[in-house]
Structures are given as structure tokens and as C-alpha cells.
């Protein structure tokens, strides 16, 4: 296998300030360049995750998001623009990210995640950031990430509330340990401020960078919950369930 390309002089100039971080440096930046990140839904949360990771210098992204841009997207989906209403979301996502980072390799998939396509999507990445609003999508990403041994950062929000956790197969509980079943009252449409989805998205991008570069302490086995109406934060520990249908079973 040929060696991966090293940082160019242009990249060193762009990422100079973050390479000053003592436990990151040029070696950490090279890890970001070599990494591939899959993002499930690139909307209110996922768009900001993708934008921050593109800015940080992640080399490749696999992005899955279906449908056309609607006016109601524009309060939070920051990779969508008014002039793109009625056109495919994934193309708006792609062009906006390349405006920021033309060196980024993008695999643009005009589909939402399902149990049918999740395995093939996860195969293309080193790490998953799950930003999907619906539990069937989230469960599909979790199952295939665990099965393939890929870490997954899980981000979600509702109104002023948000939570985030990180899942590293064989080292931590998984999403089905935290949510054995989909909450029966959960709906596709819910109250949302873009600033709230953007807050948890920035945290998700930081978790992804930490896991890729091997620095800091990821939120494995811990759920960080926040209520931004009160600006309150708390971290809850959770454990692997002996009856978990995903991570209590040997991975293939």
C-alpha cells in the first residue's frame, strides 16, 4: 500500500494555530488528513459537525442526506442556502464544504441511512458521527459501527436540550445499552433552535477530533446532557447491558 500523502506547505499554513496544541501537533494534523468520517444526516446538527471537521482538516467525508432544501431548513441547517430551495440538499452540502476546504474528498450520498445501506456506508469510514433524528437510522448506524469496530459519536437535541456520548466498540457500551428501544413518543418534527443544534454539533466535532487524533478523554460510557435554557450540564455514567442485542454479542 503506498504511503499516505504528508501535509503540504499550504496545509501547514492553514492549520498552524491548531498544531500549536501541545498534545496534537503535526502528527495529530496528519491523522485528521488521513481520516475518513461518515456523517448520518447533514442537517441542523450534522451540517455544523461537517463544517467544523472540514475546517479542521479531515481528509474525507461520507455524507448521507436525502431530499431537497425547504424554507424550514434554513433556521439551522447551515450548509443550505436560500438560493438552493427546491434543489437537492446533498449538493448544497457538497458545494458549501468545498468552498471552505477544496482539498476535502467527499462521498455524497443522496439517501438517508437505513438498515439496508448502513453497512456499506460505515465500511467507507474510520469514524461515524450520528446526527440522525430518527431512532431506526441511529440504531442502524450503531449496529454496523459496532459490528465493524468503528467508533461512533452520538449527538442529539430537542428544543433547548441536547446530549452527546461516544461509543468505541469493545471498550464501551453502545447506543442500544442507553436506549434499548425507540421512545414511543419520539417524532420526526420537533422544536429546534439552530444555536442549540450547533452547540452539540461543535461538541460532536471535538469528540471526533479527539478520537481520531488520540487525545483527551472521550465520552465513552458517559452521557453529557445539557439544558441550555438554564445553562446546566451534567454527565451520567451508563454501563453495557448484559441483554444488549448489539454489543453483548461477539462482533463479526
Amino acid at each position: 500500500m503506498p504511503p499516505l500523502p504528508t501535509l503540504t506547505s499550504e496545509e501547514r499554513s492553514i492549520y498552524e494555530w491548531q498544531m500549536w496544541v501541545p498534545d496534537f501537533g503535526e502528527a495529530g494534523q496528519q491523522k485528521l488528513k488521513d481520516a475518513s468520517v461518515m456523517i448520518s444526516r447533514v442537517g441542523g446538527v450534522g451540517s455544523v459537525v461537517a463544517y467544523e471537521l472540514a475546517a479542521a482538516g479531515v481528509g474525507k467525508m461520507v455524507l448521507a442526506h436525502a431530499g431537497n432544501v425547504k424554507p424550514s431548513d434554513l433556521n439551522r441547517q447551515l450548509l443550505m442556502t436560500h438560493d438552493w430551495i427546491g434543489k437537492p440538499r446533498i449538493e448544497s452540502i457538497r458545494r458549501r464544504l468545498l468552498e471552505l476546504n477544496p482539498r476535502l474528498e467527499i462521498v455524497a450520498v443522496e439517501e438517508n441511512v437505513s438498515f439496508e445501506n448502513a453497512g456499506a456506508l460505515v465500511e467507507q469510514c474510520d469514524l461515524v458521527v450520528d446526527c440522525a433524528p430518527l431512532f431506526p437510522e441511529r440504531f442502524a448506524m450503531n449496529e454496523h459501527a459496532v459490528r465493524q469496530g468503528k467508533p461512533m459519536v452520538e449527538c442529539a437535541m430537542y428544543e433547548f436540550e441536547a446530549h452527546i456520548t461516544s461509543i468505541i466498540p469493545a471498550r464501551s457500551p453502545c447506543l442500544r445499552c442507553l436506549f434499548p428501544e425507540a421512545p414511543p413518543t419520539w417524532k420526526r418534527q420537533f422544536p429546534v433552535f439552530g444555536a442549540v443544534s450547533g452547540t452539540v454539533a461543535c461538541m460532536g466535532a471535538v469528540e471526533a477530533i479527539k478520537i481520531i487524533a488520540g487525545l483527551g478523554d472521550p465520552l465513552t460510557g458517559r452521557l453529557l446532557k445539557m439544558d441550555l435554557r438554564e445553562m446546566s450540564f451534567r454527565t451520567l455514567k451508563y454501563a453495557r447491558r448484559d441483554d444488549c442485542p448489539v454489543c453483548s454479542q461477539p462482533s463479526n
Side-chain angles (χ1 to χ4, degrees), residues 109-124:
V109 180
E110 196 176 353
E111 300 174 9
N112 293 328
V113 170
S114 65
F115 277 101
E116 289 71 31
N117 65 15
L121 292 170
V122 173
E123 283 177 357
Q124 300 177 66

Side-chain angles (χ1 to χ4, degrees), residues 193-210:
F193 278 106
V196 178
S197 56
T199 297
V200 72
C202 286
M203 292 181 173
V206 170
E207 281 289 286
I209 290 168
K210 285 161 53 181

